[in-house]
Amino acid sequence: MNPRLVAASLVLNVFLIGALAGGTGWLIGKFNPGYSLESAGGRLPAADRKAFRQALREVRRESRDVILDGQAARREAANLLQQPTLDTAALAAALERARNADATVRARLEQRILEFAASGSPEDRQLLADALLRRAGRQPPPAKKSP
């Protein structure tokens, strides 16, 4: 058999297997988004889901400068790691800036979710609670059926 044909077949098969695995992973992630408070919004009724997502988009828009600062700090940290001599003080400062930016955005998102939950129905709050329990590694108790 021609060695070029064998090599081409091998490369094509590896490519196809990689594409199949990647597509499968993407589909699994798409249909199983995780169990964060943000992903819990996808389980809300349509009108509430739209309001929830809009509220989170507003927070991200309002936090744009903080998000950009965190991204810049991560780029700075990556650049420092690539230097021949490691400046640990500068690296620690860059990582702290990135961490603080992440914490600030997270706090703002959680505050907006809290405001949303305070104005929502008990059923909506239950969906958010279930997401928190799953995130904490504990499955929520089965829903009680009312008579």
Side-chain angles (χ1 to χ4, degrees):
M1 192 170 213
N2 185 346
R4 285 185 177 180
L5 186 60
V6 171
S9 176
L10 181 64
V11 169
L12 182 62
N13 284 326
V14 168
F15 175 76
L16 289 174
I17 290 170
L20 182 64
T24 302
W26 178 77
L27 285 174
I28 289 171
K30 183 178 179 183
F31 293 111
N32 187 13
Y35 299 108
S36 67
L37 277 174
E38 291 181 63
S39 69
R43 295 177 179 85
L44 294 170
D48 293 335
R49 182 173 50 240
K50 184 176 180 180
F52 184 80
R53 289 181 177 159
Q54 179 61 34
L56 298 184
R57 271 194 300 273
E58 288 173 9
V59 170
R60 289 187 185 100
R61 193 174 319 114
E62 294 164 1
S63 302
R64 186 171 193 280
D65 291 339
V66 177
I67 292 168
L68 291 175
D69 184 51
Q71 291 172 347
R74 279 186 281 287
R75 281 191 300 274
E76 181 183 335
N79 185 40
L80 289 165
L81 285 168
Q82 294 173 352
Q83 299 303 312
T85 305
L86 182 62
D87 182 350
T88 56
L91 177 60
L95 291 173
E96 183 175 1
R97 269 186 36 231
R99 185 174 48 254
N100 289 340
D102 291 346
T104 299
V105 173
R106 180 178 174 166
R108 289 177 181 180
L109 284 169
E110 288 174 350
Q111 179 61 36
R112 189 63 59 94
I113 291 169
L114 183 145
E115 293 165 3
F116 180 86
S119 65
S121 70
E123 292 80 17
D124 291 351
R125 290 194 308 272
Q126 184 62 49
L127 287 170
L128 296 173
D130 291 348
L132 277 179
L133 290 172
R134 286 187 185 108
R135 182 73 173 186
R138 191 179 121 217
Q139 292 296 322
K144 295 180 182 176
K145 298 190 181 200
S146 39

